[in-house]
Each structure stands twice: as structure tokens, then as C-alpha cells.
Amino acid sequence: MRVVDIEDPDDPRVDDFRDLSSADRRPDLPAMPGGGRGRGLVIAEGVFVAQRMIASRFAPHAFLGVGRRLDELVGHIRVDPDAPAPFYRVGAEVMAQIVGFHLNRGVLGVARRPAALGVDEVLASSRTVVILEGVNDHENIGAIFRNAAGLGVDAVLFGAGCADPLYRRSVRVSMGHVLLVPFAHVDGWPADLDIVHDRGFTTVALTPDAAAVPLAEAVDAPRVAFLVGAEGPGLSAATMQATTRTARIPMSRGTDSLNVATAAAIAFYERARSGTMDA
């Protein structure tokens, strides 16, 4: 990393950090409204997330931030005047003019999206995965990745109807774990769940259905893939029929379901508690 001081908010060298709050010009949009191609950049917000970007396969090509955040990053990077990745050092007001709002975390990293991982690639060394269907809330996706990282889940798969996990809010809520936990998209849905089954996974669909087995009874197979659906509708009937078994989280006080990220975390914990994750 080399340090470059920026005083003009219109300096073209910081164009990758502009319009972060714009619905139709954000640099992290892979596709623009109307079908045009977006820049599809990945934005890391804050010191902890920037550190995880540095450690990930999402190699940062630039940083933007105030001086004190550079000081906090120094232990994780090497400052070199000849390095290709610059740290654009700015004042707080200049930074606010560039990104479009006051960024309390004080530093951003930016990376280009590497080639997407394939389903076989992420399943090869995995024993516990989670598969999402219709989860279109970026904060829920970020929380699921953070829970997956903290509770030993190896990978995340995306079925139909899910939001972009690399949107800035997902990356931020995940505390950068979206960049570290492997993920892939399942092309044919739900037919391609057969790929998961062929790799030896027991697929467990989470549901509030009283006929489903209690969650604790469905987590001890050698390889487990939990399936979770969107808030409200949950998993589709076709997806439920394509899974090995269904499981429910025992509830009380007439509550029928939990937030999807919370439900996923409970499933991950039950799996960890069973002692079969690394068996």
C-alpha cells in the first residue's frame, strides 16, 4: 500500500468510492437499472471489514480513509511507496463529499469481483452448509454469513430469488465474512439440489410445520445442508419436496417462526452442539 493525499473531492482517482448511497449509480451494482452493466465492485466499510478483505480472495485495489484509520490498518498492511494499491488519505469532509454521506467508520476498501466459485468447488471440502431460497434482504444475508463464520459453517449456497451478497450493506453486516466464507449460486433450482445430495449431504429444510421433526433430531448426519427461506413465505413447496427431511425449531407463546438469520443461527448451533461437525 502507498499513501496518497487527496484534497479535491472531484479527483478522478477516487471514482470507485463515489455515490455509495445512490440507488442507480452505486459502484457495487453488478447490473444497472434498465439492464446495463454495472461496475460490480466490492466495498469494505470499516477497519475490521477492510482487514478481512485484505485476508480474502477479494484483493483490494485501493482504500479511501482518514489518517487515523490508516494508523489502525498499519499492523495488517505494509506501507510501500511503490505498491500498486493506494490508500487515498482524505479529511472527513472531503470523504463525505466523495461517498455521499458522513462515513463514521472512516475507511473503505474496494476490490473487483473475482471469478465466481462453483457449487462443486465449495462443497468439496465442506461438511456443513446453508442454502438460501428467496432471501432478498441484504442485512439478513449479511447476518447469516456472520453466523456461519462464528458457528463453523463451511459454505453458503444461493438458490432462486436471493439478493446480491456482495452489496455493501451485506458485506458490512457480515463484518466482512461474506468475503471469507465460500459461497456459490445453484443454477437450476430446485432441481440442482440433486448435486448436493450426490455429494453426500442430507438436506434439512427448516419449517414451522408441526409435522416436522425437532431440529435437534436432524443435525447429526456426516454432511448436512440446512435450507432456509424468505421471511413470511419460507421455502417453496417444490423445494421442500426436494429435500431429505424437514425440521422445526420448537417454539412457545404462539410464535410460529423466527427471523431467518436467527433461525439459521440456531440450526448452526445445534449442529455444532451435536459434535458431528468435525466427526
Side-chain angles (χ1 to χ4, degrees):
M1 180 185 292
R2 56 192 169 88
V3 180
V4 179
D5 288 310
I6 299 286
E7 297 182 357
D8 181 2
D10 295 322
D11 192 311
R13 290 176 292 181
V14 295
D15 283 350
D16 282 351
F17 301 98
R18 296 193 189 283
D19 302 317
L20 296 189
S21 61
S22 171
D24 57 358
R25 297 190 305 275
R26 294 196 327 261
D28 56 348
L29 287 173
M32 304 298 287
R37 184 176 180 179
R39 300 171 73 183
L41 300 175
V42 183
I43 304 293
E45 181 180 334
V47 171
F48 290 135
V49 182
Q51 289 168 353
R52 288 180 177 130
M53 176 177 272
I54 292 167
S56 78
R57 67 189 187 95
F58 295 82
H61 61 264
F63 295 88
L64 174 73
V66 297
R68 64 190 178 93
R69 298 306 187 197
L70 172 61
D71 295 340
E72 292 173 15
L73 278 173
V74 162
H76 298 266
I77 53 156
R78 182 168 58 91
V79 177
D80 180 346
D82 298 319
F87 186 104
Y88 295 119
R89 184 167 53 192
V90 294
E93 288 304 318
V94 171
M95 188 169 187
Q97 292 177 63
I98 294 168
V99 304
F101 57 94
H102 281 277
L103 188 79
N104 293 332
R105 292 169 180 83
V107 67
L108 295 165
V110 62
R112 297 177 182 87
R113 299 187 186 213
L117 300 177
V119 173
D120 275 334
E121 191 175 359
V122 302
L123 291 182
S125 59
S126 297
R127 296 180 61 86
T128 308
V129 303
V130 60
I131 307 175
L132 282 54
E133 178 189 52
V135 179
N136 56 16
D137 182 276
H138 293 102
E139 294 190 4
N140 280 334
I141 289 175
I144 287 170
F145 270 92
R146 186 175 182 182
N147 295 337
L151 293 166
V153 173
D154 300 305
V156 179
L157 296 181
F158 288 91
C162 294
D164 179 13
L166 296 177
Y167 171 46
R168 180 174 62 90
R169 187 180 302 161
S170 295
V171 178
R172 183 184 72 233
V173 172
S174 79
M175 289 300 294
H177 289 295
V178 164
L179 309 176
L180 295 173
V181 177
F183 67 88
H185 289 80
V186 180
D187 293 329
W189 185 262
D192 280 356
L193 278 175
D194 286 346
I195 298 173
V196 181
H197 294 138
D198 290 346
R199 301 303 176 270
F201 282 85
T202 296
T203 50
V204 179
L206 298 190
T207 174
D209 188 348
V213 301
L215 176 62
E217 298 177 14
V219 299
D220 58 353
R223 307 183 92 183
V224 170
F226 294 110
L227 283 89
V228 296
E231 303 280 342
L235 295 167
S236 67
T239 298
M240 297 281 285
Q241 291 171 5
T243 57
T244 310
R245 64 194 311 188
T246 59
R248 59 180 171 83
I249 297 170
M251 308 290 289
S252 63
R253 298 183 179 176
T255 304
D256 64 348
S257 63
L258 300 170
N259 166 273
V260 63
T262 302
I266 291 172
F268 304 161
Y269 176 74
E270 283 288 3
R271 171 74 166 157
R273 194 171 68 94
S274 74
T276 55
M277 269 184 152
D278 301 314

